[in-house]
PDB file of all heavy atoms in Angstrom:
ATOM      1  N   LEU A 192     108.916 114.101  93.280  1.00 95.00           N
ATOM      2  CA  LEU A 192     108.638 113.212  94.400  1.00 95.00           C
ATOM      3  C   LEU A 192     109.911 112.741  95.088  1.00 95.00           C
ATOM      4  O   LEU A 192     110.999 112.763  94.511  1.00 95.00           O
ATOM      5  CB  LEU A 192     107.868 111.977  93.914  1.00 95.00           C
ATOM      6  CG  LEU A 192     106.504 112.212  93.267  1.00 95.00           C
ATOM      7  CD1 LEU A 192     105.880 110.873  92.893  1.00 95.00           C
ATOM      8  CD2 LEU A 192     105.586 112.980  94.195  1.00 95.00           C
ATOM      9  N   PHE A 193     109.735 112.305  96.324  1.00 92.00           N
ATOM     10  CA  PHE A 193     110.811 111.599  96.992  1.00 92.00           C
ATOM     11  C   PHE A 193     111.004 110.246  96.323  1.00 92.00           C
ATOM     12  O   PHE A 193     110.120 109.740  95.638  1.00 92.00           O
ATOM     13  CB  PHE A 193     110.480 111.396  98.480  1.00 92.00           C
ATOM     14  CG  PHE A 193     110.679 112.629  99.312  1.00 92.00           C
ATOM     15  CD1 PHE A 193     109.605 113.428  99.673  1.00 92.00           C
ATOM     16  CD2 PHE A 193     111.948 112.992  99.736  1.00 92.00           C
ATOM     17  CE1 PHE A 193     109.791 114.566 100.428  1.00 92.00           C
ATOM     18  CE2 PHE A 193     112.148 114.130 100.498  1.00 92.00           C
ATOM     19  CZ  PHE A 193     111.061 114.922 100.840  1.00 92.00           C
ATOM     20  N   ASP A 194     112.165 109.642  96.538  1.00 89.00           N
ATOM     21  CA  ASP A 194     112.443 108.322  95.983  1.00 89.00           C
ATOM     22  C   ASP A 194     111.419 107.310  96.474  1.00 89.00           C
ATOM     23  O   ASP A 194     110.739 107.518  97.494  1.00 89.00           O
ATOM     24  CB  ASP A 194     113.848 107.853  96.378  1.00 89.00           C
ATOM     25  CG  ASP A 194     114.940 108.617  95.640  1.00 89.00           C
ATOM     26  OD1 ASP A 194     114.701 109.019  94.489  1.00 89.00           O
ATOM     27  OD2 ASP A 194     116.027 108.813  96.226  1.00 89.00           O
ATOM     28  N   SER A 195     111.353 106.165  95.793  1.00 84.00           N
ATOM     29  CA  SER A 195     110.331 105.159  96.087  1.00 84.00           C
ATOM     30  C   SER A 195     110.466 104.557  97.479  1.00 84.00           C
ATOM     31  O   SER A 195     109.507 103.990  98.000  1.00 84.00           O
ATOM     32  CB  SER A 195     110.373 104.050  95.029  1.00 84.00           C
ATOM     33  OG  SER A 195     111.645 103.439  94.996  1.00 84.00           O
ATOM     34  N   GLY A 196     111.644 104.653  98.105  1.00 79.00           N
ATOM     35  CA  GLY A 196     111.818 104.114  99.446  1.00 79.00           C
ATOM     36  C   GLY A 196     111.235 104.987 100.539  1.00 79.00           C
ATOM     37  O   GLY A 196     111.248 104.607 101.713  1.00 79.00           O
ATOM     38  N   PHE A 197     110.694 106.141 100.181  1.00 85.00           N
ATOM     39  CA  PHE A 197     110.131 107.078 101.157  1.00 85.00           C
ATOM     40  C   PHE A 197     108.617 106.899 101.238  1.00 85.00           C
ATOM     41  O   PHE A 197     107.942 106.770 100.211  1.00 85.00           O
ATOM     42  CB  PHE A 197     110.455 108.521 100.773  1.00 85.00           C
ATOM     43  CG  PHE A 197     111.907 108.892 100.942  1.00 85.00           C
ATOM     44  CD1 PHE A 197     112.874 108.380 100.098  1.00 85.00           C
ATOM     45  CD2 PHE A 197     112.301 109.748 101.952  1.00 85.00           C
ATOM     46  CE1 PHE A 197     114.205 108.710 100.250  1.00 85.00           C
ATOM     47  CE2 PHE A 197     113.635 110.096 102.116  1.00 85.00           C
ATOM     48  CZ  PHE A 197     114.596 109.568 101.262  1.00 85.00           C
ATOM     49  N   ALA A 198     108.097 106.921 102.459  1.00 84.00           N
ATOM     50  CA  ALA A 198     106.658 106.760 102.641  1.00 84.00           C
ATOM     51  C   ALA A 198     105.877 107.885 101.953  1.00 84.00           C
ATOM     52  O   ALA A 198     104.757 107.669 101.479  1.00 84.00           O
ATOM     53  CB  ALA A 198     106.315 106.712 104.128  1.00 84.00           C
ATOM     54  N   LEU A 199     106.449 109.086 101.888  1.00 89.00           N
ATOM     55  CA  LEU A 199     105.762 110.196 101.221  1.00 89.00           C
ATOM     56  C   LEU A 199     105.574 109.932  99.737  1.00 89.00           C
ATOM     57  O   LEU A 199     104.603 110.408  99.131  1.00 89.00           O
ATOM     58  CB  LEU A 199     106.547 111.496 101.426  1.00 89.00           C
ATOM     59  CG  LEU A 199     106.187 112.327 102.659  1.00 89.00           C
ATOM     60  CD1 LEU A 199     107.135 113.505 102.808  1.00 89.00           C
ATOM     61  CD2 LEU A 199     104.759 112.814 102.590  1.00 89.00           C
ATOM     62  N   HIS A 200     106.466 109.190  99.138  1.00 91.00           N
ATOM     63  CA  HIS A 200     106.333 108.809  97.729  1.00 91.00           C
ATOM     64  C   HIS A 200     105.061 107.993  97.543  1.00 91.00           C
ATOM     65  O   HIS A 200     104.228 108.291  96.676  1.00 91.00           O
ATOM     66  CB  HIS A 200     107.558 107.998  97.307  1.00 91.00           C
ATOM     67  CG  HIS A 200     107.493 107.447  95.923  1.00 91.00           C
ATOM     68  ND1 HIS A 200     108.071 108.075  94.845  1.00 91.00           N
ATOM     69  CD2 HIS A 200     106.912 106.318  95.425  1.00 91.00           C
ATOM     70  CE1 HIS A 200     107.849 107.371  93.749  1.00 91.00           C
ATOM     71  NE2 HIS A 200     107.152 106.285  94.090  1.00 91.00           N
ATOM     72  N   ARG A 201     104.913 106.966  98.368  1.00 89.00           N
ATOM     73  CA  ARG A 201     103.727 106.102  98.283  1.00 89.00           C
ATOM     74  C   ARG A 201     102.458 106.879  98.620  1.00 89.00           C
ATOM     75  O   ARG A 201     101.410 106.691  97.987  1.00 89.00           O
ATOM     76  CB  ARG A 201     103.900 104.925  99.239  1.00 89.00           C
ATOM     77  CG  ARG A 201     102.766 103.916  99.176  1.00 89.00           C
ATOM     78  CD  ARG A 201     102.946 102.802 100.198  1.00 89.00           C
ATOM     79  NE  ARG A 201     102.823 103.300 101.566  1.00 89.00           N
ATOM     80  CZ  ARG A 201     103.843 103.401 102.404  1.00 89.00           C
ATOM     81  NH1 ARG A 201     105.051 103.073 102.022  1.00 89.00           N
ATOM     82  NH2 ARG A 201     103.650 103.848 103.626  1.00 89.00           N
ATOM     83  N   MET A 202     102.532 107.752  99.617  1.00 90.00           N
ATOM     84  CA  MET A 202     101.360 108.515 100.034  1.00 90.00           C
ATOM     85  C   MET A 202     100.806 109.370  98.900  1.00 90.00           C
ATOM     86  O   MET A 202      99.599 109.408  98.655  1.00 90.00           O
ATOM     87  CB  MET A 202     101.740 109.394 101.242  1.00 90.00           C
ATOM     88  CG  MET A 202     100.588 110.173 101.849  1.00 90.00           C
ATOM     89  SD  MET A 202     101.159 111.287 103.171  1.00 90.00           S
ATOM     90  CE  MET A 202     101.888 110.115 104.314  1.00 90.00           C
ATOM     91  N   VAL A 203     101.702 110.048  98.186  1.00 94.00           N
ATOM     92  CA  VAL A 203     101.277 110.913  97.084  1.00 94.00           C
ATOM     93  C   VAL A 203     100.697 110.092  95.937  1.00 94.00           C
ATOM     94  O   VAL A 203      99.627 110.414  95.395  1.00 94.00           O
ATOM     95  CB  VAL A 203     102.454 111.784  96.590  1.00 94.00           C
ATOM     96  CG1 VAL A 203     102.069 112.528  95.306  1.00 94.00           C
ATOM     97  CG2 VAL A 203     102.864 112.773  97.667  1.00 94.00           C
TER      98      VAL A 203
END
Side-chain angles (χ1 to χ4, degrees):
L192 299 182
F193 283 100
D194 288 328
S195 59
F197 289 71
L199 270 174
H200 175 96
R201 183 183 67 251
M202 184 185 300
V203 171

